[in-house]
Amino acid sequence: MTARYDGQAEWYDEYIGSNAGATIADLGDLLGPGEGLCLDLGCGTGLYLDVIRSTGRTVVGLDRSGDQLRLARSRDGAPLLQGDATDLPFAGGTFDAVTALWISTDIGDFAGLLKEAARVLRPGGLLLFYGVHPCFNGPHIETRADEAVIIHPTYRIKGWHRSSPWWRKGGVRERVGMSHVPLADLINAFIDAGLVIDRVYEPQRRPIPFVLAVRAFRRD
């Protein structure tokens, strides 16, 4: 089965890479110093592996797309695996930390991903989610020229969206589609996975937040 991002690697790396600086700065602060193994779920072309490593952790990357991993291997020496984030090939309690970066919009079962992430975390281990803010970005959002947004009633339509009349032509969503997880479903997925939410952040990029970040821990 072909992954959605296969055939997009070079374009995606250039598209995301030009805006990765702000995310990299946020990740270092949100992760804080640590040690042990960190699993980066949906590591893509490896843009964030180095900042995870800079916190003192030993990073392992996993992605569904072999094409994305091809570029990641060319830029980073971290162990990289191709696999399904909802069926991880690791024993329980393997990792001291897990990062899930920009992945909620690209996977059909975000709740299943968090359950697997919680399973492979050691008791007390950190999970950091950093991704699209579901209230203000998605198939239901129409962005105006002044950066204000119109939120359409389609916010309530969860799951996979192949198109939206308001997506930018030629952008990542028009190319690969998007899974929409409403805010309540996203937060409840942490609770249902047995994770304890420590803090929720809306990193400031613009007056209306584009990004939502959640720090959570596996129960002891």
Side-chain angles (χ1 to χ4, degrees):
M1 179 179 176
T2 301
R4 294 185 185 95
Y5 280 83
D6 283 353
Q8 307 280 354
E10 278 79 10
W11 174 86
Y12 180 81
D13 191 65
E14 181 177 354
Y15 176 81
I16 296 298
S18 62
N19 298 302
T23 300
I24 287 170
D26 285 341
L27 292 179
D29 292 339
L30 291 169
L31 278 169
E35 57 185 17
L37 290 174
C38 178
L39 175 62
D40 184 23
L41 292 175
C43 67
T45 62
L47 288 168
Y48 305 115
L49 297 172
D50 195 50
V51 66
I52 296 170
R53 187 184 297 110
S54 74
T55 66
R57 297 171 171 91
T58 299
V59 65
V60 177
L62 181 138
D63 202 277
R64 177 70 181 80
S65 170
D67 194 30
Q68 297 276 299
L69 290 173
R70 172 179 55 82
L71 285 193
R73 290 188 177 103
S74 73
R75 67 157 37 103
D76 197 281
L80 301 172
L81 295 87
Q82 185 174 7
D84 181 351
T86 64
D87 187 18
L88 295 172
F90 306 108
T94 298
F95 295 94
D96 298 276
V98 174
T99 53
L101 314 176
W102 302 111
I103 197 171
S104 62
T105 50
D106 293 317
I107 188 164
D109 185 9
F110 182 66
L113 176 146
L114 288 187
K115 287 177 181 176
E116 273 292 270
R119 181 184 67 80
V120 302
L121 270 175
R122 66 165 175 78
L126 167 68
L127 185 142
L128 176 64
F129 166 78
Y130 187 103
V132 164
H133 198 307
C135 293
F136 306 109
N137 186 274
H140 55 290
I141 289 296
E142 181 181 358
T143 303
R144 300 192 327 197
D146 62 358
E147 293 194 271
V149 298
I150 299 169
I151 303 173
H152 290 271
T154 48
Y155 170 77
R156 295 291 184 185
I157 303 176
K158 63 183 72 175
W160 196 259
H161 294 253
R162 189 62 191 87
S163 64
S164 167
W166 306 292
W167 283 343
R168 187 173 66 82
K169 297 298 181 184
V172 64
R173 294 303 153 212
E174 188 178 69
R175 286 171 178 256
V176 302
M178 177 181 183
S179 181
H180 174 54
V181 184
L183 182 63
D185 293 65
L186 188 144
I187 297 299
N188 286 331
F190 286 84
I191 298 168
D192 294 343
L195 295 161
V196 178
I197 294 174
D198 173 54
R199 299 291 292 175
V200 177
Y201 303 86
E202 294 176 323
Q204 187 156 353
R205 295 282 173 273
R206 57 186 78 177
I208 296 172
F210 176 83
V211 175
L212 183 72
V214 180
R215 278 174 51 98
F217 293 88
R218 178 182 165 182
R219 291 192 182 98
D220 292 337

